[in-house]
């Protein structure tokens, strides 16, 4: 059974850094971080391949977000630098067992963790 649990995030000020963590069990998958702001559609922000060699970012976060993984710890992290008000959202860790990278959708989801940005 695949289980994903997010942690980290919380309240930060504009310009701060924040780090999100996703602990997983049930296998080694392609992992992505997606976010959904209030009243907006969910969007994919970053993805990382099974071995960590390939990463993908949506254009709006390139240069500020960094996704990484430690398969020995079954952990994927998302570093967010220079927080901006538009980063405020619920961030979801997601995983997929298929091979296409980056995935167009994900089969497994965590419960999400809130990132709030004060200006």
């Amino acid at each position: 059974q695949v289980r994903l649990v997010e942690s980290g995030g919380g309240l930060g000020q504009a310009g701060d850094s924040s780090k999100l963590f996703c602990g997983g069990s049930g296998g080694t998958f392609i992992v992505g971080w997606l976010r959904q702001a209030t009243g907006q559609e969910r969007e994919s922000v970053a993805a990382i391949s099974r071995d960590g060699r390939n990463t993908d970012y949506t254009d709006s976060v390139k240069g500020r977000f960094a996704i990484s993984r430690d398969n020995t710890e079954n952990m994927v992290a998302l570093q967010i630098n220079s927080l901006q008000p538009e980063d405020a959202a619920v961030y979801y860790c997601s995983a997929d067992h298929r091979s296409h990278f980056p995935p167009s959708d994900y089969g497994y989801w965590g419960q999400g963790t809130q990132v709030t940005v004060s200006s």
Side-chain angles (χ1 to χ4, degrees):
Q1 184 176 359
V2 178
R3 186 165 181 256
L4 303 172
V5 180
E6 301 97 336
S7 60
L11 175 64
Q13 291 188 332
D16 284 352
S17 294
S18 183
K19 194 164 187 176
L20 311 181
F21 298 92
C22 175
S25 61
T28 302
F29 303 98
I30 293 172
V31 174
W33 284 96
L34 295 84
R35 67 185 180 186
Q36 187 167 21
T38 302
Q40 298 187 22
E41 293 188 357
R42 191 175 296 181
E43 66 166 341
S44 177
V45 294
I48 189 165
S49 60
R50 286 183 179 83
D51 60 7
R53 293 181 180 179
N54 295 303
T55 58
D56 184 75
Y57 300 93
T58 193
D59 287 345
S60 62
V61 307
K62 284 179 180 177
R64 292 195 302 117
F65 286 27
I67 189 170
S68 61
R69 71 188 301 160
D70 182 346
N71 287 341
T72 63
E73 298 289 336
N74 294 320
M75 185 70 69
V76 173
L78 182 69
Q79 176 72 39
I80 304 173
N81 296 320
S82 188
L83 272 170
Q84 300 176 4
E86 53 265 36
D87 294 327
V90 177
Y91 284 72
Y92 297 91
C93 174
S94 55
D96 198 75
H97 64 278
R98 291 165 289 186
S99 60
H100 178 71
F101 184 83
S104 56
D105 55 28
Y106 292 87
Y108 308 101
W109 295 84
Q111 293 300 306
T113 186
Q114 178 73 49
V115 172
T116 303
V117 182
S118 63
S119 56

